[in-house]
Amino acid sequence: MRPDIVRQTDITFIVIVGISFLLLALVTAAMFYFIYKYSRKKNPVATDITGNTTLEILWTAIPLVLVMVMFFFGYSGFKQMRNAPSDAMTVKVTGRMWAWSYEYDNGVKSDTLFVPKGIPIKLELSSADVNHSFYMPAFRVKEDVIPGRKNYMWFDPKEEGRYQVECAEYCGLSHSYMLSQVLVLPAEKFNTWLAESKLKENADTTKMQTDTIKSKQDTLKTK
Amino acid sequence: MNNEATIGHAHVHRDDVGSKMGMWLFLFTELLLFGGMFILYASYRFMYPENFKVAAMHLDTLIGSVNTILLLTSSLTVALSIVALQRKQKMFSVFLLMFTVAAGGAFLVNKFFEWSTKIGHGIYPKGPEMANLSDGEVVFYGLYYVMTGLHALHVIVGLIFIGFMIVFILKGKQTFDNHQKLENAGLYWHLVDIIWIFLFPLFYLIH
Amino acid sequence: MSENTHIQESSAAELQHPGYGLYILVWAGLVGLTTITVALAGFNLAGLTVVTALAIAIVKSLLVTNYFMHVRTDSPIFKVFIFVCIAIFLTMIVLTFFDLTYRFPLK
Amino acid sequence: MDYVSYLDYKGKHKGLLGWILSTDHKRIAILYLVSLVSFFLIAMTIGVLMRLEMLTPGKTIVDPQTYNALFTLHGVIMIFLFIIPGIPVVFGNFFLPIMLGAKDVAFPRLNLLSWYLYIGGAFLVVISLFVGGGPIDTGWTFYVPYSLRTQSNVTLAVFAAFVIGFSSILTGLNFIVTIHRMRCPGMTWFKMPLFVWGLYSTSWIQLLATPVLGITLILIMLERTFGIGIFDPALGGDPLLYQHLFWIYSHPAVYIMVLPAMGLVSEIIPTFSKKDIFGYGPIAMSSLAIAFIGYLVWGHHMFSTGISDTSRAIFSFLTFIVAIPSGVKIFNWVATMYKGSIETRAPFMFVVAFIVIFSIGGLTGLVLGSLNTDIHLTDTYFVVAHFHYVMFGGMGLLFFGGLHYWFPKMFGKMYNERAAKWGLLLFVIGFNTLYFPMFIMGYLGMPRRYYDYLPEYQIYHVISTVGSWILVTGILILVINLIKGLLSKEKYLDPNPWGGTTLEWKVPTPPELENFQEIPTVEHGPYYRDNLIKPENSH
Ligand code: HEA
Ligand code: HEA
Ligand code: CUA
Ligand SMILES: [Cu+2]
């Protein structure tokens, strides 16, 4: 069984929010109860209590255990995110202001991420200009795209469909328009697409910007 | 930054320890200012070990060593000037401080020639030589200019402080039983010295 | 906790500065260490170059702080301060290197 | 009356000069208060404009470039000009010396210089909007390489932040020396009010973390001006090192924001519970612990940037640890109310709201501290919600709480308490309507710093925007109420309206120029009361 990142992430979220909610409820309830029970009217003179070592130890130790549980959930999910399965297919992703482009092993380029259903995809991320971040909310994964570095991430397209890709690291004027899509196709359909695109010389690739930006000046006229 | 807290019309008791504490805390901020640069230096050295060695070869160890001795000696004379003042040898104290100023000045002159040579060779940001250098060397020289430049700026500030101290001693504002300002100026100068003690091996010696 | 109670103790502690002799001795030590570190740079100590150079620099700075800056004889609170400051600086470096070391694995 | 209050005192200078040249810590505090509140209102107005823009997808009121400049300015002003100086420079300046039984801070002139640096920095921010490439559009984090490439006036803006940082350092330095050297006879470290402990911890962060930001900002300026290669990836630099240095400061900075607020909570709760605080030692030490551990967790802002997996795990682990001392504080505060004799006056209600809202913010911080959830949530509105809960609902709320608590002491005037409570209620309702939907849309994948968004998020944006209007109403009520109190002719000279036990309640209202005719001597802890019932199990 391949690890299920989406599920893992949602479980971690529920665990942490669950524990948090209980603690919050406890604290809030206790506070309002005290305010009601020990109001000036009901309890005109306060009792001189200045501390209690047992309690201090308890409310240091118990939260410590709780956060270790949280850490454990987060960490084990994270390890899966970082270990791409060995049978993953690799796609190169390039971010530039303000578009994504994808390149497949056979040299086909595209501006929509076509992937075959059921095969894990490893993405190699690089940037042509400034920082971006490749984010697919539906798959609960994101990784920044940093110039001068190669980052990676992987995901598991289980269901056919269209999913949103967003740029999540602020990158200037059209940051919010730096969107793209993942198109999960049945394996045969994907293979046909890949082969046909190879023949058609990037036919499915709408107006790719191929100029990598070399000079430092003028790349970023934001006005 | 003064030991006399004057509010309205009343004087709070002079607090030398408080004043010194203030100075030390200020030195910590200076230390962490350079600390940020040292973190960068360490990181880039780690990323580009070979390039750093190559680049360091091109710095003049002799100038660096002479400058180290100059700063150490100027630190000594500041320390001595405080003793002299405590022993009521006012003019000797002034003389020692003047020596410090001279040594600090000589340090800056050396630095000036060192930078000019490098710039003469086209090694400066956006300079003609830079395009031929590896990434690591470019970063090395970036750090070199920023760190030694920042340090030189501190030398200048330190010299101004010490200049003021000379005036204060001559005017009798810093005396054998009231010399916290001189102590503080001294502390600052020693810090400048300490920073150089680290800059020197990091830039000139690590071949 | 007595370093403050009130502000009276000012200069008494200050007066026991060492004499000229000690300072000159410290200076001689510093110059000596400088010579050593420059001389060592001529040899190829491989991985040890950085370590020795930094070790010598640390010794030198200890001399300066302890003697020229009187930390040795001052109130211990200054030692505590310096310790805190250095400790925090070192944690910054160490934690940064947890990233770098594993990001650019050494060959 | 045999004393002249600091408000009426006539010194060398008259009128306005008597304020802007005064080295009296109380007058400096008022200077700060006025300047801070002005910037706060400006930045809040920008916030409301941003919400208006987000009401509908596409263009609502401004174009993208303006929006990018707006959130940057909103962030920069809120962070550097309001929330970081915030409580220390206003209430710290005013009350620290009084609470310690001192006549002033250790370096009064340096204190005034700090204010000038603050104002100078603010002035530079304003200038940066109109010269060069126009308003900065990088976000308050100034990430490279975008900040090196953009045409907007980053150089001047980061210089402004540098100057303000310097002001912050000097305030921290001043407070540390004051706390070490100026405590009155009998005031040992563990008899200091907890607000002072909060300030003490904060000051150390200001002192030791700010310089790292300072040098980072200077490097950006140098790179932009001279093309020196330090961070620029085109010149061999590493953009991630910039982020390391930035967060080495900016994470500890979030504790600069919240520790003084927590100190204030520790003042207000015992005052209105009419009893000693529960767990003085643990609360004091947890401030130091937060300050120290706060230096170790900055990497949690970089979980998705491609730093090494090892360091992500370490930073996540440490992030969870830093939550423990915050929890200790919360539990001790609630325990203080146990068997108290609680008066639900206005300042106390601010604290009640604080405890709930801050806890929500802090607990969602745990979601972000956890590795896999953060990777999903980082740079989404979930983060925006988190930090508004902790910053605005934490420090911002307590800033108002502090104003209501110390208002009579500072000005010798009183506000209408009913109005204050109504304002607070609207504040709380508006606040949650505004920010809670952001958690949801964050989890659904709405990235932050987005000028435009996909239609499926609109419903949350609409709720949120409506919330901002309710919040505005609440804040307007609070502010107008205070201003009306201030302007009223009626004097309010009760030195101790709430029955507080710390030293500031033992001096006349408003305090006189040098606080004390005679330096007091302290015998008991700060919250000691001798009229309490002894607990049954105490003998
Ligand atoms: C006042 C400011 C403030 C405070 C106090 C905090 C407090 C905390 N913050 Fe927050 N944070 C910010 C301001 C603040 N933060 C800002 C401004 C950002 C975004 C910056 C940007 O990118 O622009 C941010 C971002 C941020 C991130 C990065 C998100 C991202 O970009 O991906 C993370 C991740 O770990 C985080 C975590 C935490 C944690 C764990 C705490 C903890 O300290 C919280 C501790 C408190 C509690 C836990 C609640 C009380 C406790 C209990 C009720 C009981 C105890 C319970 C247990 C321990 C289980 N914060
Ligand atoms: C203390 C900190 C603080 C506070 C109090 C606030 C307050 C508010 N903020 Fe926040 N905000 C930040 C700090 C803060 N913010 C930071 C650091 C960022 C990140 C920036 C970045 O990404 O770089 C941010 C980002 C941020 C965003 C995300 C932008 C984006 O990512 O696209 C949004 C969006 O809604 C927002 C909204 C608001 C709103 C509506 C308020 C409201 O609370 C405002 C309520 C306003 C009022 C109640 C005004 C009342 C008064 C008047 C109207 C009277 C005016 C009168 C005169 C001027 C005389 N803020
Ligand atoms: Cu690309 Cu944001
Ligand atoms: Cu943080």
Side-chain angles (χ1 to χ4, degrees), chain B residues 1 25-27 29-30 33 154 157 161 188, chain D residues 32 80 84 89 110-111 113-118 121 158-174 206-207 209-215 217-218 249:
Chain B
M1 314 211 276
L25 294 177
F26 183 68
L27 296 189
T29 69
E30 294 281 12
L33 193 79
H154 280 75
V157 173
F161 275 168
Y188 189 84
Chain D
Y32 268 122
F80 293 109
I84 285 185
V89 296
L110 192 65
N111 200 8
L113 176 66
S114 304
W115 181 73
Y116 275 102
L117 286 174
Y118 170 87
V158 296
F159 182 62
F162 174 80
V163 173
I164 300 162
F166 202 55
S167 153
S168 174
I169 290 177
L170 295 182
T171 305
L173 185 156
N174 217 335
Q206 288 178 295
L207 195 79
T210 319
V212 179
L213 178 75
I215 189 69
L217 297 181
I218 289 187
Y249 165 76

Side-chain angles (χ1 to χ4, degrees), chain A residues 84-103:
Chain A
S86 47
D87 57 341
M89 177 183 125
T90 306
V91 181
K92 292 201 183 75
V93 178
T94 305
R96 60 167 54 81
M97 293 155 116
W98 291 276
W100 297 105
S101 64
Y102 310 95
E103 191 184 332

